[in-house]
Amino acid sequence: MKGVTVKRLVAYGEFEFEKTMKALNYPSEIWFDINPFTSHESLSKCYIQNLDYLILADEFLVTLDDLLLMNCKNIFVQHSRLREKHLNIYLKSWLRGQKEELEHICLLASRINWEEEVVPFTKEIVLKGLEYTTVPADVKRLFYCSVSDTDEKRVETIKGGYDIKRKDGRLVTIVLPDDWPWFEMYVWPNDQ
């Protein structure tokens, strides 16, 4: 593998993370379909990598501590244990200047009530104590990721959301659909 650059590692089974990362010259994008880690310590070593993309499928139940460890530009988590208060804490940590590398995060939580109905995140709890501007749902904005895909630029269309400005002027948009426990956070580049 000397001289070969691997951009994306997609893992469908168990493997030795550290040895594989070294052998593949440290890919900048990782997609785990299953959890190959045998301990939380080895998983934590993955989280602190400076990755462009980290995608975690079903077997990862991400906690607030896990999220705070991640040094990634773009994070997608299919299942998490996160609740509104955790998302509020994470937002406030970003507003204090932490997670400078973050561009986009997408989290889906496992939230079902006693009647087996899916429960969306409550905006009032996620945004508690934060000054925000509501962007109407019919307003569409394009978000360009700094890291392109292998064949084209990565572009997301953001519909509506809640804009929050940090003290340094950096803008973030939070999207909380009202029909699903879904949280997205877009950190706009300084020049927009």
Side-chain angles (χ1 to χ4, degrees), residues 118-137:
V118 175
V119 181
F121 287 126
T122 306
K123 173 194 83 159
E124 290 75 19
I125 300 172
V126 173
L127 301 176
K128 184 177 181 178
L130 303 174
E131 289 185 37
Y132 61 89
T133 303
T134 302
V135 179

Side-chain angles (χ1 to χ4, degrees), residues 41-101:
E41 180 183 334
S42 58
L43 177 57
S44 295
K45 287 180 183 177
C46 170
Y47 288 159
I48 63 172
Q49 301 290 316
N50 291 320
L51 298 171
D52 289 335
Y53 275 84
L54 178 62
I55 300 171
L56 303 173
D58 295 346
E59 291 186 20
F60 291 85
L61 291 174
V62 173
T63 65
L64 176 61
D65 289 339
D66 294 333
L67 195 58
L68 290 169
L69 272 178
M70 294 178 188
N71 287 329
C72 304
K73 288 183 180 180
N74 297 276
I75 302 166
F76 179 78
V77 178
Q78 284 186 339
H79 291 321
S80 76
R81 295 180 180 164
L82 298 167
R83 298 295 182 248
E84 290 98 335
K85 66 181 181 179
H86 302 126
L87 299 173
N88 182 268
I89 292 167
Y90 188 77
L91 275 169
K92 287 177 179 174
S93 75
W94 181 84
L95 288 168
R96 286 191 303 273
Q98 297 178 7
K99 302 297 170 197
E100 280 299 312
E101 69 284 343

Side-chain angles (χ1 to χ4, degrees), residues 147-187:
V147 181
S148 63
D149 204 345
T150 53
D151 56 352
E152 61 185 47
K153 287 195 176 271
R154 289 183 170 131
V155 181
E156 300 271 343
T157 301
I158 304 172
K159 296 177 185 175
Y162 307 96
D163 285 353
I164 303 171
K165 269 203 174 171
R166 199 162 60 181
K167 287 180 184 176
D168 64 1
R170 196 84 188 260
L171 180 69
V172 66
T173 298
I174 306 302
V175 178
L176 299 166
D178 58 5
D179 61 345
W180 203 255
W182 190 281
F183 170 90
E184 287 200 75
M185 179 175 172
Y186 296 91
V187 180

